[in-house]
Amino acid sequence: MNSGKTVTIIGAGIAGLSAAVFLTEKGFKVTLIESSPKAGGRAYSFYDNERKMFFDNGQHILAGWYENTFEYLRLTDSLNYVNFQRSLEVNFINKKKEIFKLKCTEDKPPMNLVMGLLKYKALNIVDKIYLKKITALSDGNAEKFRKYKNARELLKGLKQTKNLITYFWEPLILATFNTSPENVSPELFVNVMKTGFSESGNSNLVIPSADLNKLLTDNAMKYFTEKNVTFKTSEKVVSIDITDRVNFVTLESGEKINSDIYISAVPFFSFRKLFDERVYSENNFKAEKMKASGIISVHIFLKEDMPDEMIPENSLGMTGLIGTTVQWIFIRNRRHLSLVISGADGAGLNEETPERIFEICKRDLNETIRNFEKAEIEGYKVIKEKRATFIPDRDSENYRPQQKTKYENLFIAGDWTDTGLPATIESAVKSSKIISNIIIN
Ligand SMILES: Cc1cc2nc3c(=O)[nH]c(=O)nc-3n(C[C@H](O)[C@H](O)[C@H](O)COP(=O)(O)OP(=O)(O)OC[C@H]3O[C@@H](n4cnc5c(N)ncnc54)[C@H](O)[C@@H]3O)c2cc1C
């Protein structure tokens, strides 16, 4: 069990944190190095002096199929900071202010989804006739969908109607892949559908009940203290010295760190800088070719409590909007709504001013939420994350490296590595799990 071997992990996002925990559990002596002053990477909370409260950098939703993430949460004693749905349940509101509930049944997948969609009142009889075609997705055989260029073409090939696409596929794809269906590789799409609808409970949504620091990092810090993990913050790795194996890494301060094993857990947009030209091209790394996709979160604060008739029906405080720029509303409390705009670059909003983004949100809420125009808004906060995820188009599959490299002591972790999943917390943690399994075995 106690291998006594030393491991250096570069980057303390959720991939680096989970790699540190999984390997510490197996008796490795871990040093984790993070360039910023804190852990968490692209999933963190920060204190806002103006509003005197913590904000997450963006609402994070997990799902029942995040098995590796749940293992990390269990090991860091944080599993009690998430709420699980009993079955997938989401309400949607359109611009006619009509509310439609999509609720999967407790049947065996994929029938749970088919039955849920059959009862979904946003769909008409013709839509429902074409529903049965989606069972073709659930065997996960991506090969037969290779002829399609992207998920939108695949859905067309399966004769999915406009209504089905508007009221089901587009919200699902935007939420999962953070981009629209034409930017999603059909193979990745089929893999996610298979994962989500292969076992009971997999498609259920899981929503954090605490802020992201509490959920992902605070308890990990306690764990590191207890288990003697060395965690260096504000220390950037500037290079990895490689001959036929990794010899050491160099920090910006000039310090050299030496260990038996090294794991890069930096995002795709920082990876190129770790290597010299020779190593990068010899390994055919292509991280710099990946395209980023943004997410914008907008918090709206009301002067008075929302009246009951204004609160959209919801499960776990979450409601989807149809036909608007804002896709999701999360009700934090009766005076605080948090809104999500996924694929913000696609919506052309990455470079917009907070004032303009707020106006768009207000317009969307007026158009969808009953009596919203009567509510007095006391303030708002816009949080932009321009590089939240990568665009998972077909090209991206050629740029995602495997976790194992040709050097026996170098591994690559991160949501963008080849996990068969889109850029998610689960992809990040899965990459670490793959690495820890390889190292242990
Ligand atoms: C607004 C927003 C909403 C999201 N919503 C969801 C969601 O609902 N569900 C979901 O599953 N996922 C969601 N995601 C995606 C999820 O946050 C990411 O997939 C995940 O956090 C990526 O983790 P990572 O460890 O792979 O990378 P990162 O979090 O990017 O971590 C990499 C770390 O490496 C550090 N680093 C970089 N270079 C160096 C260096 N040279 N030396 C030392 N350290 C370095 C960075 O500072 C960073 O801390 C969302 C992301 C955002 C931004």
Side-chain angles (χ1 to χ4, degrees):
M1 162 77 178
N2 191 342
S3 79
K5 282 197 172 170
T6 52
V7 184
T8 301
I9 301 173
I10 310 163
I14 187 66
L17 290 168
S18 54
V21 168
F22 293 151
L23 288 167
T24 302
E25 285 293 305
K26 297 294 173 194
F28 289 82
K29 177 88 193 74
V30 173
T31 299
L32 179 59
I33 305 167
E34 167 58 45
S35 58
S36 81
K38 49 141 195 62
R42 275 169 284 154
Y44 66 97
S45 329
F46 62 94
Y47 189 74
D48 184 70
N49 279 323
E50 209 182 305
R51 291 217 70 94
K52 308 225 173 316
M53 62 183 282
F54 277 92
F55 285 99
D56 286 346
N57 69 323
Q59 173 69 48
H60 279 63
I61 306 171
L62 286 58
W65 54 270
Y66 279 34
E67 53 175 343
N68 297 293
T69 307
F70 298 141
E71 184 182 349
Y72 167 76
L73 294 179
R74 185 177 55 75
L75 290 170
T76 53
D77 206 11
S78 305
L79 208 45
N80 52 331
Y81 293 134
V82 284
N83 287 327
F84 290 78
Q85 284 186 328
R86 276 183 60 82
S87 60
L88 175 65
E89 180 181 335
V90 189
N91 284 347
F92 291 99
I93 312 186
N94 64 15
K95 284 187 176 177
K96 291 185 195 155
K97 305 193 179 182
E98 294 168 313
I99 301 178
F100 301 105
K101 183 193 285 293
L102 170 63
K103 189 174 188 325
C104 285
T105 60
E106 291 187 17
D107 291 290
K108 223 172 149 270
M111 280 321 285
N112 59 343
L113 172 64
V114 174
M115 294 307 286
L117 285 169
L118 282 174
K119 290 187 194 153
Y120 184 34
K121 295 217 166 69
L123 305 179
N124 61 39
I125 186 80
V126 179
D127 305 323
K128 290 176 185 174
I129 289 170
Y130 287 102
L131 254 182
K132 64 174 188 297
K133 296 244 173 212
I134 68 172
T135 52
L137 293 173
S138 64
D139 69 8
N141 181 358
E143 263 317 298
K144 62 185 178 203
F145 299 111
R146 200 162 279 282
K147 62 182 174 199
Y148 299 113
K149 278 205 223 95
N150 55 51
R152 190 175 294 282
E153 279 201 359
L154 185 156
L155 293 172
K156 238 200 242 161
L158 291 180
K159 300 210 167 13
Q160 298 300 281
T161 59
K162 188 165 177 292
N163 246 357
L164 267 167
I165 289 179
T166 307
Y167 280 90
F168 178 63
W169 291 115
E170 275 179 349
L172 177 109
I173 288 176
L174 256 169
T176 316
F177 298 90
N178 189 29
T179 188
S180 49
E182 52 277 15
N183 290 327
V184 176
S185 129
E187 289 84 1
L188 191 63
F189 172 61
V190 172
N191 192 38
V192 170
M193 285 303 292
K194 181 192 152 214
T195 311
F197 293 96
S198 58
E199 274 180 49
S200 296
N202 273 12
S203 59
N204 302 356
L205 299 179
V206 180
I207 313 259
S209 57
D211 68 42
L212 287 172
N213 287 356
K214 275 212 183 77
L215 178 70
L216 299 173
T217 56
D218 288 358
N219 281 354
M221 297 303 116
K222 284 188 203 148
Y223 177 100
F224 292 166
T225 308
E226 277 164 24
K227 308 262 177 170
N228 290 323
V229 173
T230 306
F231 182 34
K232 291 171 178 278
T233 50
S234 304
E235 296 267 23
K236 186 175 182 177
V237 172
V238 287
S239 66
I240 304 182
D241 185 87
I242 301 180
T243 44
D244 54 345
R245 67 198 309 278
V246 179
N247 303 310
F248 56 86
V249 299
T250 307
L251 307 187
E252 210 162 32
S253 60
E255 186 186 348
K256 291 184 178 8
I257 308 255
N258 192 291
S259 59
D260 298 311
I261 296 164
Y262 300 81
I263 300 174
S264 157
V266 306
F268 64 94
F269 47 83
S270 306
F271 186 73
R272 171 70 192 86
K273 295 182 211 120
L274 292 179
F275 301 92
D276 66 30
E277 185 59 43
R278 174 190 64 83
V279 169
Y280 201 78
S281 60
E282 268 178 22
N283 284 278
N284 218 7
F285 290 143
K286 291 187 173 142
E288 78 290 356
K289 290 189 186 282
M290 297 180 90
K291 289 167 266 174
S293 187
I295 297 180
I296 296 177
S297 309
V298 181
H299 295 264
I300 296 205
F301 298 92
L302 303 178
K303 261 201 176 135
E304 287 173 7
D305 285 3
M306 284 190 293
D308 282 343
E309 74 272 12
M310 219 176 81
I311 300 176
E313 259 188 81
N314 61 71
S315 163
L316 299 180
M318 168 182 171
T319 300
L321 298 187
I322 299 288
T324 48
T325 303
V326 172
Q327 292 120 15
W328 301 101
I329 309 178
F330 293 83
I331 300 175
R332 300 298 170 133
N333 60 50
R334 293 175 84 104
R335 294 188 185 195
H336 178 186
L337 301 176
S338 103
L339 315 178
V340 178
I341 304 174
S342 302
D345 33 338
L349 294 182
N350 261 351
E351 306 308 327
E352 277 296 354
T353 60
E355 293 75 20
R356 171 83 188 117
I357 292 169
F358 166 65
E359 285 308 321
I360 291 170
C361 292
K362 210 166 70 171
R363 178 203 65 198
D364 283 356
L365 293 177
N366 281 334
E367 285 180 351
T368 50
I369 306 294
R370 284 179 209 141
N371 294 327
F372 188 79
E373 62 284 357
K374 290 187 195 149
E376 229 182 306
I377 296 175
E378 174 256 306
Y380 66 90
K381 179 161 189 74
V382 175
I383 304 167
K384 283 187 193 175
E385 283 284 0
K386 292 187 185 175
R387 297 190 291 192
T389 62
F390 65 87
I391 293 192
D393 55 14
R394 188 165 259 159
D395 288 346
S396 72
E397 284 166 16
N398 302 320
Y399 311 145
R400 300 180 76 175
Q402 292 201 334
Q403 291 75 28
K404 190 173 175 340
T405 69
K406 69 174 185 177
Y407 312 106
E408 45 111 11
N409 67 342
L410 176 66
F411 298 88
I412 309 170
D415 62 349
W416 62 283
T417 61
D418 185 5
T419 57
L421 298 175
T424 49
I425 289 181
E426 177 60 10
S427 178
V429 184
K430 183 179 175 187
S431 71
S432 299
K433 190 71 198 175
I434 293 170
I435 292 170
S436 75
N437 285 342
I438 298 172
I439 294 176
I440 291 156
N441 295 322

